[in-house]
Amino acid sequence: MSERRRRPVDRPRRAALDVLTAVRVDDAYANLVLPQVLRKHRLEGRDAGLVTELASGAIRMQGLYDPIIDACLTRPKLQPEVRDVLRLGAHQLLSMRVPDHAAISTSVDLVRTSVGQGPAGLVNAVLRAISRRDLADWVSQVAPDAATDRRGHLAVAQSHPRWVVDTLAEALGDDDELADLLAADNAAPRVTLAARPGLATVEELEASGGSRTRLSPYGVVLEGGDPSGVAAVAEGRAGVQDEGSQLVALAVADAPLEGRDERWLDLCAGPGGKAALLGALAAGRGARLVAHERQPHRAALVASAMRALPTGSFDVLAGDGARPAWLPGTFDRVLVDAPCTGLGALRRRPESRWRRAPEDLHLLTSLQQVLLDVALESVRPGGVVVYATCSPVLAETTDVVTAVLGRRDDTDEVDRFQLWPHRDGTDAMFAATLRRR
């Protein structure tokens, strides 16, 4: 066997391919499978960062890389495993500062060990062809002409399904910002921490190498490193939480309220980030939070997220939110963070854009209306409900609120906000605050 054949495969690239395989074969979520893969390959520090960039970038940008790969093939049919290797190679060549020879040779070695000798020559030839043009040149070759089909051009250039581009454009209401929004979806998100009041302070998180966020008084952006290495995070006194998500929890806690303020409900609490922040805020006021989640395994995640809260300050329940286990009017404050398409968090969930379809909206919006009605029945007169989604899609946001209010005569909308990645540096969180009369 030649020395070239015996050369060991680069471990970060092998790990990145494992992530792509899990996402494709097992419908895994990249952000959840990444820690497992890193532990398996014993990768930390810069190597772990390389795996994250390779895997997330290749998945996120496949809507652009696949047409480029296909343009370099004489026969368009590829084994899925080979296409995964080519996506990783294309990402290194077009979007990373990896020398061409390194990107090509490591990809050839990777396909030899993961698939076999057969496709090695094809991978070499395709990546060499890709390397002869830069990203802008390839976009001009494979994307529709921007002058005649601007949204179609952006869909390919920014690697979003066309229906998603159209839906986001409708939500924005202004095509002039559309390119900025799509580009923000493709930017690697910052790691943001939330100091849970009464358990951790912003100053403590800053001392771990972070800087304060602009919008949330509890937020700190971690400048580098593994967040699990921060003591407050490891102990559950702080958590990784997007600033927009923190603002939703604050909208629940800060909404003006008359009378009793003792019983709070998070109706759809999994995986527990908002519930942990809400629970800390509630405990500081002598209130008790019920964190409710339909799926038992997600309820377990909620309990883990809330483990540092004072004993007796919260309950975690598993059950169907559409059939509540409590009497009407039980709660003073309710959050319904409804299941949604997640199109406002595409920068954090690179595979989500490829898994959703337009027909998902009908099922989701029906459920969202049911859950909002349950939340409004669960709150006492004079109490407040915050309806939130990590989606800016009008069908899931304003349309749901309008539909529910249109059939009720006991509820007023008192506040609303929509955040955007390109404007606010957060996920595109929507929140509407409603009050029972």
Side-chain angles (χ1 to χ4, degrees):
M1 183 181 291
S2 71
E3 182 66 27
R4 180 178 178 83
R5 293 280 300 279
R6 287 197 302 267
R7 186 169 59 203
V9 170
D10 180 279
R11 283 196 302 151
R13 288 168 173 83
R14 173 71 254 187
L17 183 61
D18 285 354
V19 175
L20 265 63
T21 301
V23 169
R24 175 173 50 81
V25 175
D26 302 325
D27 283 337
Y29 293 94
N31 66 320
L32 298 182
V33 79
L34 258 167
Q36 303 168 27
V37 171
L38 293 175
R39 285 194 296 269
K40 171 187 170 183
H41 290 275
R42 299 179 181 177
L43 296 171
E44 299 177 339
R46 293 181 64 184
D47 284 342
L50 176 59
V51 176
T52 302
E53 172 58 27
L54 283 169
S56 298
I59 295 168
R60 184 182 293 120
M61 297 304 296
Q62 69 186 52
L64 172 59
Y65 295 155
D66 282 356
I68 294 173
I69 291 166
D70 291 343
C72 299
L73 294 171
T74 54
R75 290 180 295 178
K77 190 170 180 62
L78 279 175
Q79 292 173 259
E81 300 87 348
V82 176
R83 187 171 289 276
D84 282 345
V85 172
L86 287 171
R87 287 170 177 167
L88 289 170
H91 188 61
Q92 294 170 73
L93 291 170
L94 299 174
S95 301
M96 295 177 67
R97 296 178 180 177
V98 177
D100 290 359
H101 67 86
I104 295 169
S105 64
T106 55
S107 298
V108 171
D109 292 340
L110 184 57
V111 81
R112 279 197 181 105
T113 58
S114 61
V115 182
Q117 177 63 29
L122 180 145
V123 168
N124 181 68
V126 169
L127 293 181
R128 286 188 180 279
I130 291 175
S131 71
R132 296 186 187 110
R133 300 177 187 268
D134 64 16
L135 184 62
D137 196 3
W138 273 117
V139 168
S140 69
Q141 294 292 316
V142 301
D145 181 25
T148 57
D149 184 5
R150 183 169 182 268
R151 290 186 185 177
H153 176 87
L154 288 172
V156 175
Q158 298 292 349
S159 190
H160 285 63
R162 174 60 188 260
W163 78 271
V164 171
V165 173
D166 289 337
T167 303
L168 292 177
E170 180 187 17
L172 269 175
D174 184 355
D175 271 25
D176 290 343
E177 293 185 61
L178 183 58
D180 291 338
L181 170 59
L182 301 180
D185 280 348
N186 292 334
R190 305 178 303 171
V191 176
T192 305
L193 308 180
R196 292 163 183 164
L199 304 174
T201 64
V202 169
E203 290 76 14
E204 178 184 359
L205 298 184
E206 285 182 297
S208 299
S211 56
R212 295 183 184 227
T213 55
R214 182 172 59 90
L215 302 174
S216 168
Y218 302 111
V220 170
V221 175
L222 196 63
E223 302 302 335
D226 183 355
S228 65
V230 177
V233 174
E235 296 163 5
R237 297 183 294 110
V240 177
Q241 187 177 15
D242 178 72
E243 193 179 11
S245 176
Q246 296 179 41
L247 294 176
V248 168
L250 289 171
V252 179
D254 292 346
L257 192 69
E258 294 182 2
R260 188 191 70 195
D261 193 7
E262 302 169 355
R263 302 171 185 171
W264 298 13
L265 170 67
D266 186 347
L267 183 60
C268 308
K274 294 183 186 71
L277 181 53
L278 267 180
L281 291 165
R285 302 183 193 176
R288 187 183 186 95
L289 175 71
V290 172
H292 180 273
E293 171 54 45
R294 178 173 183 172
Q295 299 175 344
H297 75 279
R298 284 171 64 86
L301 293 176
V302 175
S304 177
M306 302 178 74
R307 66 189 183 277
L309 295 179
T311 302
S313 67
F314 68 93
D315 296 294
V316 178
L317 303 180
D320 185 354
R323 297 177 176 85
W326 49 83
L327 294 174
T330 294
F331 297 98
D332 306 305
R333 298 180 188 271
V334 178
L335 168 63
V336 51
D337 183 18
C340 67
T341 58
L343 295 185
L346 295 182
R347 57 195 188 133
R348 298 185 187 280
R349 302 168 190 165
E351 67 288 317
S352 291
R353 68 187 72 182
W354 311 119
R355 290 184 176 169
R356 288 299 186 186
E359 50 268 27
D360 294 338
L361 281 173
H362 176 70
L363 293 175
L364 285 167
T365 54
S366 297
L367 175 60
Q368 289 157 359
Q369 290 188 38
V370 168
L371 291 172
L372 180 52
D373 265 322
V374 168
L376 288 167
E377 290 300 318
S378 299
V379 76
R380 65 170 174 83
V384 293
V385 171
V386 172
Y387 171 78
T389 64
C390 57
S391 167
V393 176
L394 296 179
E396 302 184 270
T397 57
T398 57
D399 290 357
V400 168
V401 173
T402 299
V404 172
L405 292 184
R407 57 177 177 259
R408 302 185 69 103
D409 60 3
D410 63 347
T411 306
D412 297 314
E413 183 175 0
V414 295
D415 196 17
R416 177 188 299 190
F417 66 75
Q418 174 68 65
L419 301 170
W420 294 99
H422 65 295
R423 294 180 190 170
D424 306 297
T426 68
D427 292 342
M429 297 295 304
F430 169 87
T433 302
L434 312 177
R435 178 173 287 111
R436 282 281 304 275
R437 286 199 295 273

